[in-house]
Amino acid sequence: MAPMVIYTVYIFAIFFISVWCSMWILHILAIIYGRYRLHQKLSQIQADALLGVSILKPLMGVDPHLSSNLESFFTMNYPKYELLFCIEDENDPAIMLVKGLMDRYSKVDAKLFIGGSCVGVNPKINNMHRAYEAANNEFILISDSGIRMKEDTLQDMMNFMTETTALVHQMPFTSDREGFPATLEKIYFGTAQSRIYLVADLIRINCHTGMSALMRKSLLDEIGGLKTFGCYLAEDFFIAKSFTDRGWRIRISSQPAMQNSGICEVNSFQARLTRWAKLRVAMLPTFIIIEPLSECLVNGFCAAWAVNVLLKWEPVSFFLIHVLLWFLCDWILLSIVQNGSLPFNKFDFVVGWLFRECSGPCLFLHALLNPAIKWRSRVFRLAWGGIAEELKPKKESTLKYQT
């Protein structure tokens, strides 16, 4: 073998071993930091010391859990907040559901915005824009329709809103539900997602997912408000980036975001993961290399080849031990994030974990080969940097406001 080829092989082997070691550092840090950071006991704060929060709830359609999810926002134990429901289509069945909850909890300050603005290509921001403009409080919480709140969740988030903090977000997780798709979701969000999320918060890297995010409205208004981010599909990433670029801190709260969508299917979940991968690649092209190597099987295969090249170790045994240790670390981390008994047994975890690890690299490859993003009935194309263009723009809808 030519010296240049040998040199190149050794360079790749050293690179793969370095990535392998880095991933194990991530495992250890996530487990330690997760144990320290998550599910903290709330300190007692005087009610008059808690500042008001405007909660933006963008809605579209009705699923079997929507009513109970929305009701959890009406029953929070927090002294001052307003609920701003945003529904783009005037024929959406969610309108009647929201009106019913507003009548049932008439003492809660709630408003319903029907219709949307056209301030960019992002449907979520178009839906929320008028409600954002009408928000009466310094702090706003953007919360997706599938999120379920505990009575003290909002207080938990506000506890981390210090004088140097601009944004407090919840680490994505899921409520306990039955069935293999629910098991698969809980495993993903409690292992692969939470591992990166926890370490990113520890070392202060932007890893913001905007399904439940509390932020300072005045800081958004300084740069033009929420509409400034209407040109992006991943508005959550760029909102957080706008804060960190100005020297502000973003943090996670101690309670994870409890996703509780009534529609739980393997295909829809995988489509969601594929869409996120497309967004990451468009925003940060280095993910084309980094993300596949963060997967258990790809990482283990490359490391097994590398140790065989460098140390002449038996690669199959190394790979199997690697997978076993990764599996055990994921079980430990999932148990920490769950903070209680898991709703499935160990066999279900093995099946779900193997399915997730085997499908992860395939979904990423699919994202690279099919860069167009489908969001419900709409299709978008992303340029490098994350700026989006809708391939078939939707006509601007009108707005109706009701209290």
Side-chain angles (χ1 to χ4, degrees), residues 356-384:
R356 212 301 300 174
E357 296 300 335
C358 291
S359 62
C362 298
L363 295 178
F364 185 76
L365 181 61
H366 177 70
L368 292 181
L369 298 177
N370 300 275
I373 293 181
K374 294 182 179 180
W375 192 339
R376 297 183 185 269
S377 60
R378 305 166 75 172
V379 180
F380 301 87
R381 179 173 55 199
L382 291 179
W384 294 120

Side-chain angles (χ1 to χ4, degrees), residues 325-342:
L325 292 177
W326 195 295
F327 171 85
L328 293 175
C329 285
D330 276 354
W331 174 263
I332 294 171
L333 182 59
L334 177 60
S335 300
I336 292 171
V337 178
Q338 176 74 8
N339 194 39
S341 300
L342 290 164

Side-chain angles (χ1 to χ4, degrees), residues 17 50 69 89 94 150 206 213 224 232 243 254 273 284 292 316 372 390:
I17 286 297
L50 293 172
N69 290 339
D89 187 351
K150 296 180 180 178
N206 180 9
Y232 304 107
F243 294 142
S254 74
L273 296 184
L284 301 168
V316 175
E390 187 172 357

Side-chain angles (χ1 to χ4, degrees), residues 95-110:
I95 293 173
M96 295 305 298
L97 190 154
V98 170
K99 287 182 176 179
L101 289 170
M102 290 170 62
D103 291 340
R104 190 186 313 169
Y105 296 95
S106 57
K107 294 183 179 180
V108 176
D109 185 5

Side-chain angles (χ1 to χ4, degrees), residues 303-317:
W305 171 82
V307 297
N308 180 256
V309 169
L310 297 175
L311 304 174
K312 306 304 179 185
W313 289 3
E314 207 284 312
V316 175
S317 299

Side-chain angles (χ1 to χ4, degrees), residues 85-306:
F85 295 98
C86 316
I87 302 176
E88 186 177 25
D89 187 351
E90 61 183 10
N91 297 315
D92 196 312
I95 293 173
M96 295 305 298
L97 190 154
V98 170
K99 287 182 176 179
L101 289 170
M102 290 170 62
D103 291 340
R104 190 186 313 169
Y105 296 95
S106 57
K107 294 183 179 180
V108 176
D109 185 5
K111 300 179 181 68
L112 173 60
F113 295 80
I114 303 175
S117 302
C118 186
V119 296
V121 298
N122 188 307
K124 183 176 178 180
I125 288 185
N126 288 339
N127 194 10
M128 295 189 297
H129 176 252
R130 298 293 181 86
Y132 171 85
E133 293 291 317
N136 293 317
N137 296 300
E138 157 63 6
F139 297 97
I140 62 167
L141 171 64
I142 297 177
S143 176
D144 287 355
S145 61
I147 298 298
R148 186 180 185 88
M149 300 285 269
K150 296 180 180 178
E151 289 186 354
D152 59 352
T153 300
L154 186 53
Q155 181 184 338
D156 177 70
M157 298 182 76
M158 283 297 293
N159 279 0
F160 292 93
M161 184 62 75
T162 64
E163 294 182 356
T164 60
T165 302
L167 186 152
V168 176
H169 52 122
Q170 290 186 278
M171 185 181 78
F173 196 46
T174 64
S175 299
D176 292 348
R177 292 169 293 174
E178 296 182 353
F180 178 74
T183 298
L184 182 62
E185 287 190 12
K186 188 173 283 287
I187 289 172
Y188 170 77
F189 284 108
T191 59
Q193 177 82 358
S194 61
R195 179 168 59 248
I196 301 300
Y197 222 88
L198 287 166
V199 175
D201 186 70
L202 174 63
I203 62 179
R204 303 190 181 186
I205 293 177
N206 180 9
C207 191
H208 170 225
T209 300
M211 61 183 64
S212 181
L214 177 72
M215 62 195 79
R216 295 180 184 270
K217 187 173 185 291
S218 60
L219 295 180
L220 287 177
D221 289 339
E222 287 180 2
I223 55 175
L226 198 60
K227 64 183 179 182
T228 303
F229 305 94
C231 61
Y232 304 107
L233 288 186
E235 79 290 338
D236 44 9
F237 173 85
F238 291 100
I239 287 174
K241 185 177 183 298
S242 75
F243 294 142
T244 56
D245 286 348
R246 286 178 284 170
W248 289 86
R249 186 177 178 186
I250 62 174
R251 309 176 70 187
I252 62 169
S253 63
S254 74
Q255 292 185 16
M258 304 307 292
Q259 300 174 81
N260 190 44
S261 174
I263 300 175
C264 189
E265 301 171 343
V266 173
N267 288 340
S268 61
F269 176 60
Q270 291 187 319
R272 189 182 179 195
L273 296 184
T274 303
R275 184 174 72 247
W276 287 352
K278 294 176 183 180
L279 291 170
R280 289 192 296 271
V281 169
M283 294 184 299
L284 301 168
T286 53
F287 269 86
I288 294 175
I289 297 174
I290 295 174
E291 185 156 337
L293 292 176
S294 69
E295 296 285 353
C296 173
L297 301 184
V298 176
N299 183 273
F301 177 83
C302 292
W305 171 82

Side-chain angles (χ1 to χ4, degrees), residues 39-52:
H39 305 291
Q40 297 180 11
K41 185 177 180 180
L42 283 177
S43 58
Q44 295 298 322
I45 299 178
Q46 295 295 325
D48 56 2
L50 293 172
L51 301 176

